[in-house]
Amino acid sequence: MNLEFSPEENAFRDEVRAFIAESYPAQLRGAQDEGEDLTKEDFLAWHKVLAAKGWVAPSWPKEWGGTNWTSTQKYIWGEELARADAIPVLPFGIAMVSPVIYTFGTPEQKAKFLPATYNGDIWWCQGYSEPGAGSDLASLKTKAERITGDDGKEYYLVNGQKTWTTLAQFADWIFCLVRTNPTAKIQEGISFLLIDMKTPGITVRPIITMDGGHEVNEVWLENVKVPVENRVFEENKGWTCAKFLLAHERSGIAGVARSKRGIERIRQMAQTELNDDGTALITDPSFKRKVAELEIDLTALEFTELRTLAGESQGKGPGPESSVLKIKGTEIQQRITELALEAAGHYGAPYFRGFPADGDNNHPIGPDFAHRTAPNYFNTRKTSIYGGSNEIQRNIIAKMVLGL
Amino acid sequence: MDFNFTEEQSMLRDTVASYLQDHYDFDKRRKIITSDAGWSPAIWKAFAEELGILGAPFSEELGGLGGGATENMIVMEEVGKALVVEPYLGTVVIGGGFMKHSGYADAASVIEGIVGGTTVIAFAYAEPQGRYTWSDLKTTAKKDGSGYVLNGHKAVVIGAPWATHLVVTARTGGGQRERDGVSVFLVDKNSKGIVTRDYPTVDGARASEVFFENVSVPADALIGAEGAGLPLVEKVIDEATAAVCAEAVGSLRKLHEGTLDYARQRKQFGQAIASFQVLQHRMVDMFINVEQAVSMTYMATIKIDEADAERSKAVSAAKVQIGKACKFVGQNAIQIHGGMGMTDELAIGHYFKRATMIEGLFGSVDHHLRRYETLSFGKAA
């Protein structure tokens, strides 16, 4: 039991902090401050800086560019990124498909995809959910049939529809779960395919969410020819990859460092916003109480995560306990957005997306933070739905942890 | 004891409901709120001429239907079910409320304009610094000859872009937060010196920042007694809050019904998700929240003509219940809809957004709890 950082760890923190301060792209900072939707170039600008530094994928194996950081170093890294309001590296390539590729892929697949993903030359999106397969992912229907092409090579012919595909509008490749055996038990007929988004037959259609944003998409696949060598792991064993990937997705989902930053921001807002009695909102006992409860819940989550990390560093993989992190982490993220909206008062109501034209710097009225609070609140409802809804996470704990 | 509606009241509900069903479905509403104007003057005209509902709470001598707070409640619940953006609240409930309770000399002709659909009113009460303290006013009205000159900035004035008139709170005396010195004015929106910045709101309406720059108004713009307007403002805002509770009830019913429908038809793991007990209990809790919200709305509406303290206590109690219900029912409606609930395409998200805005409108849960505590236990020492 020890919480002290060693001198080396403190030196590491200083190094990381200085690096972010010097290298974070100014244009990206500007776009974030304006509350604009980030472009592909914005995302990649930061990704490429990190890749050049060798820090874009700390958790990868050393041979593919991992940093060999201890879990404490990774924790410090996450804290410093959040502290600087740096955008997170998108998870789809670095944290999701790449671990599948370096764990289950062929040497050719590793060589083709890992360096390009590391450098930001391949933007990945995730083809998991379907209109009829959300929480019940294994019931997915997109089918892939083996055919021999005119060139005499073996292909899968893929037909179906994926949905909620985050940032597919920017993607170069999609990793897809597809059904290769329609008669087997549902988990046993699934394969994991890597598909070039430029392949004929792929259509991406935007889904506009209630906050007005375009983050997610429908991806339609119509007679899409995928070379057989783009399958990862054995045919009909894709569910193994899927489960492996979902466990990875959950382990980063607590978002402790970012929530800490979020609470810090609430405290700042509540210093300048006034309460009913004309004093600072933060002096209002009911508001203060809610912030205090949030901080305490976050501390509990943080120490639960630290215990999980400590277990991982002793060789215990991220297990079903990570569902606890997902549930509590997302609930806290949601409560932060509720308090921010509350702090905004009347100025939570104005809505400026696309009105007047986006990019009009004159449009915010009221306190600077206010016009993003309602859209953020609406958008953050997704967190208890995605990555396995919080109801599903509770089922996992009931079954896998409690043995019910 | 009787919670039944009269035959006239039931007819009023049916008339409004069936009109909105035909003319204000989800797609028609979307066209209206995304149009340049952001509202439909044609719908407003129909409210006045075809349905006559803009006269619902006014006496028959004034051209109304002879109703009161209950009629406002009935109309507002339908407004909430159809997510109507047209300003019944600002014009009929609030504008009309000021006319009914103030002894305003020209009230009859203003009400005539409201009932006929030609006078559209927005209520400019909030200020950037004031949060939910209605007496916290930096806007001033200085005596100038027989009239007044207004200066100041009013925040997030809902419906102002559509309004012909504004009801404005301003200081004619006293310090920034004092109860004394608050006056209320009815101001023609075309008055020289009024500058507005118009914008949409997250729930599909339009609002403005309204700046008064040496706006001269005549003496008869004053509503009620000079410097003693706060009790009148509180009374009208209480009535408006009760009306908004009724609107919330309409939206909450839709959120709950929509969720039940979705859970019955959405299949996962080979069965309707409505068959999962964890979701059943959630939907039961949503149902209980909706029913309690209905009860509290009735309670507040029944007590709306009681003495000030009793009325305010009832309204604050109702708004606390409604605020909590908006959060619980709204959030769970989205959750049970899953990804579909997040989309702009389905109505459910639009009800959630309106319910969320109602949570804060005329005071948050914390504000009304505090107000209830003060009224019920006395001021803290």
Side-chain angles (χ1 to χ4, degrees), chain A residues 1-4 303 307:
Chain A
M1 301 279 276
N2 181 6
L3 274 179
E4 295 280 300
F303 275 73
R307 283 171 57 216

Side-chain angles (χ1 to χ4, degrees), chain A residues 348-351, chain B residues 156 158 199-208 354 357:
Chain A
Y351 179 73
Chain B
V156 197
I158 306 288
Y199 49 82
T201 60
V202 292
D203 50 352
R206 300 286 167 94
S208 308
R354 180 59 190 152
M357 287 299 109

